[in-house]
Amino acid sequence: METYYNPADLAKFGKIGDFDKALADKFFSYYNEVFKEGALTAREKSLIALAVSHTVQCPYCIDAYTTDTLEKGCTEEQLMEAVHVAAAIRGGASLVHGVQMMNHTKKVMM
Amino acid sequence: MKSLKASGHPFSISTLQLEHLHAHRSDQFADRMADAGLHPLKPTRIEIFQINVGKMCNQTCKHCHVDAGPDRKEIMTRETLQRCLDILATHDIPTIDITGGAPEMNPHFRWFVEEAARLGKHIIDRCNLTILLANPKYYDLPQFLAKHRVEVVSSLPHYTAVRTDRQRGDGVFEKSIQAMRMLNEAGYGQEGTGLELNLVYNPTGAILPGPQQELEADFKRHLLSEHGVYFNKLYVITNMPISRFLDFLVVSGNYETYMQKLIDAFNPSAAMGVMCRNTLSIGWDGTLYDCDFNQMLDIKIQDAPVHIDHFDLDALTNRSIVVDQHCYGCTAGLGSSCGGQVV
């Protein structure tokens, strides 16, 4: 069945360089640098990536960073907590706009 | 749970496993080794006699490369064990690594350890922990092992019960913790006693293991704070795509992805340090292999007599190690051996 997302395409990510090698090289060089151990551990960065993957709802990223966090020694509990962080921020981002709604309501209503 | 052999599973036949490994991949392991200047792979020197004293085990773990279990009856005889001792007495091979199955279920286990200790060799018992609680006759094993200064290497796939039990069976984690307590009480895992208790981590699924140092820190922190038990080192091991783990990969639809992951992670530095270069694997019937995985695939050594009765150290030292597609498991990422990561 043909679908917009094909799991096999994840492995072809590197091939985006076929159309523009210079920019792809710059991107992957930056990407690899970002995920190195730094002030944050590689494991912490991977958990952040997993949470962001859910926020941007990227199936490739979710598969990749689920595997990556598990390989880096995270537990299922830690993975789910990271997803809840993403959900809380997304939910909170909607809800905090309720203040704007309330402000406007108070302005226009008697 | 029955062993693959007892349930008549196709993967209990080694040739069918190899056919499966050959059918799906064009990236030949031998070619990758040749590109790395490591083919044919030669031994450094034989430092470890890894003796598989039998396939009988009190557990039936889902990932077991031996397909061990209570229904397996293959057991090394006292005569074959004596033959090993005779060779060890006359050759400079410093380490005896006893594995199984549950090695302690071999009726000659204690006698063999006593004799091996008399030779002044470093002895490793690959103990599954729960055997210490399986029968009253094993309750004093921690003291016995401590008396003979045996290094204990034990599988504990995770510091959580859920992950460990998923791989090794219900209730195994709790029993493993009790067994670790017994070993700690006998002096194992304590600074200064010289009694080494090392744990083995292998992933509970179709993923590669993470860095050994980080996982060891996690295991130590959780096991001490949550269960009050301690150990020396954590050996991180990659699951080989053979036997029950191969079956899991195929049934769960992870086989292709996992093999590709191993292939993509091929690391020449890890390949330099693979354990088959300094280890000789001896099967329960005295047949010689390059490693325990080759043993389970029935891939015998080449260029030297294939039975312990005709042991020829010179020929063995000069032989070429037999490699196949499963060897990608030992050369992926930071590498994998019975002593953990190799890079």
Side-chain angles (χ1 to χ4, degrees):
Chain A
M1 189 182 70
E2 204 172 342
T3 61
Y4 278 103
Y5 285 112
N6 180 354
D9 285 348
L10 176 57
K12 299 174 191 163
F13 190 15
K15 289 191 180 294
I16 62 156
D18 290 355
F19 280 16
D20 190 329
K21 188 170 181 315
L23 284 178
D25 286 349
K26 282 184 176 163
F27 172 79
F28 286 119
S29 165
Y30 165 76
Y31 191 98
N32 292 333
E33 199 62 35
V34 163
F35 281 95
K36 281 184 182 164
E37 291 272 341
L40 294 173
T41 64
R43 189 190 287 187
E44 288 165 339
K45 289 180 181 183
S46 187
L47 280 167
I48 293 169
L50 180 70
V52 174
S53 302
H54 283 77
T55 299
V56 298
Q57 294 176 297
C58 166
Y60 301 121
C61 314
I62 292 171
D63 278 1
Y65 283 95
T66 298
T67 299
D68 194 60
T69 46
L70 289 169
E71 289 189 340
K72 287 191 162 57
C74 297
T75 61
E76 287 86 337
E77 211 178 355
Q78 290 169 329
L79 269 60
M80 188 52 84
E81 282 189 16
V83 173
H84 277 294
V85 170
I89 294 297
R90 288 202 82 155
S94 291
L95 201 56
V96 74
H97 285 80
V99 177
Q100 189 177 340
M101 174 272 288
M102 290 163 74
N103 289 343
H104 192 70
T105 301
K106 285 171 189 165
K107 184 181 168 190
V108 298
M109 299 298 285
M110 291 174 73
Chain B
M1 184 174 142
K2 283 183 179 177
S3 65
L4 296 178
K5 187 174 184 189
S7 56
H9 194 289
F11 285 161
S12 65
I13 299 162
S14 57
T15 49
L16 295 181
Q17 289 186 59
L18 286 167
E19 269 178 32
H20 195 88
L21 287 163
H22 294 160
H24 295 267
R25 286 288 150 214
S26 54
D27 307 82
Q28 293 299 307
F29 182 77
D31 294 342
R32 295 298 288 274
M33 291 294 274
D35 292 345
L38 289 168
H39 192 70
L41 185 64
K42 304 298 277 187
T44 45
R45 65 171 273 239
I46 297 173
E47 295 173 89
I48 302 168
F49 241 42
Q50 188 174 63
I51 307 173
N52 193 312
V53 298
K55 296 184 179 180
M56 188 181 285
C57 190
N58 59 315
Q59 292 183 183
T60 320
C61 302
K62 282 183 187 163
H63 72 301
C64 182
H65 72 278
V66 178
D67 191 29
D71 56 41
R72 298 303 298 264
K73 306 301 177 200
E74 300 92 332
I75 283 284
M76 187 175 274
T77 63
R78 185 164 166 141
E79 291 70 33
T80 304
L81 287 164
Q82 182 62 59
R83 183 71 191 122
C84 292
L85 288 168
D86 293 343
I87 292 161
L88 288 159
T90 52
H91 293 82
D92 180 22
I93 299 169
T95 299
I96 305 171
D97 186 339
I98 311 171
T99 188
E104 304 84 356
M105 292 178 86
N106 183 306
H108 313 296
F109 174 78
R110 293 196 195 215
W111 164 79
F112 181 72
V113 168
E114 284 164 356
E115 294 299 315
R118 225 168 260 145
L119 296 175
K121 305 286 183 181
H122 174 61
I123 306 166
I124 298 169
D125 174 27
R126 294 197 179 264
C127 171
N128 70 13
L129 291 174
T130 63
I131 191 69
L132 304 185
L133 299 149
N135 186 300
K137 69 180 175 183
Y138 300 125
Y139 289 174
D140 67 335
L141 265 173
Q143 288 72 30
F144 171 81
L145 296 168
K147 181 183 170 191
H148 297 289
R149 317 295 296 172
V150 175
E151 175 188 342
V152 176
V153 177
S154 296
S155 274
L156 189 71
H158 208 252
Y159 54 79
T160 61
V162 64
R163 283 250 193 117
T164 294
D165 289 0
R166 214 183 288 154
Q167 186 179 88
R168 296 174 79 76
D170 288 343
V172 165
F173 181 77
E174 193 46 50
K175 284 182 191 162
S176 299
I177 295 297
Q178 285 181 49
M180 280 186 73
R181 236 170 246 136
M182 290 163 70
L183 287 162
N184 288 162
E185 282 164 14
Y188 275 97
Q190 289 186 39
E191 289 283 328
T193 62
L195 294 170
E196 292 256 326
L197 169 58
N198 299 316
L199 297 183
V200 173
Y201 161 89
N202 59 294
T204 329
I207 56 172
L208 292 182
Q212 192 159 278
Q213 214 177 347
E214 276 180 43
L215 286 165
E216 182 180 291
D218 287 345
F219 268 67
K220 285 193 169 173
R221 190 174 66 253
H222 284 278
L223 290 177
L224 185 62
S225 67
E226 291 158 25
H227 305 284
V229 293
Y230 35 89
F231 65 98
N232 297 99
K233 293 194 285 285
L234 184 75
Y235 296 151
V236 166
I237 293 184
T238 303
N239 287 314
M240 295 297 128
I242 69 169
S243 195
R244 286 184 203 151
F245 190 69
L246 175 60
D247 181 45
F248 158 75
L249 290 173
V250 172
V251 169
S252 63
N254 283 301
Y255 175 71
E256 291 289 345
T257 311
Y258 188 74
M259 281 307 292
Q260 195 58 51
K261 185 184 273 282
L262 294 180
I263 290 166
D264 291 344
F266 177 80
N267 180 353
S269 302
M272 288 279 288
V274 284
M275 65 181 181
C276 49
R277 301 192 77 185
N278 72 345
T279 302
L280 185 68
S281 164
I282 300 112
W284 67 275
D285 60 355
T287 305
L288 305 181
Y289 303 89
D290 294 301
C291 72
D292 208 45
F293 304 113
N294 278 11
Q295 182 179 145
M296 299 316 148
L297 290 169
D298 201 29
I299 302 172
K300 299 177 180 69
I301 55 157
Q302 63 183 16
D303 310 328
V306 297
H307 197 274
I308 194 81
D309 285 345
H310 310 288
F311 184 84
D312 181 341
L313 185 62
D314 285 341
L316 287 165
T317 306
N318 291 307
R319 77 192 192 281
S320 294
I321 293 164
V322 188
V323 297
D324 212 308
Q325 294 303 81
H326 63 291
C327 301
Y328 275 117
C330 284
T331 58
L334 299 172
S336 181
S337 76
C338 287
Q341 290 175 338
V342 298
V343 178

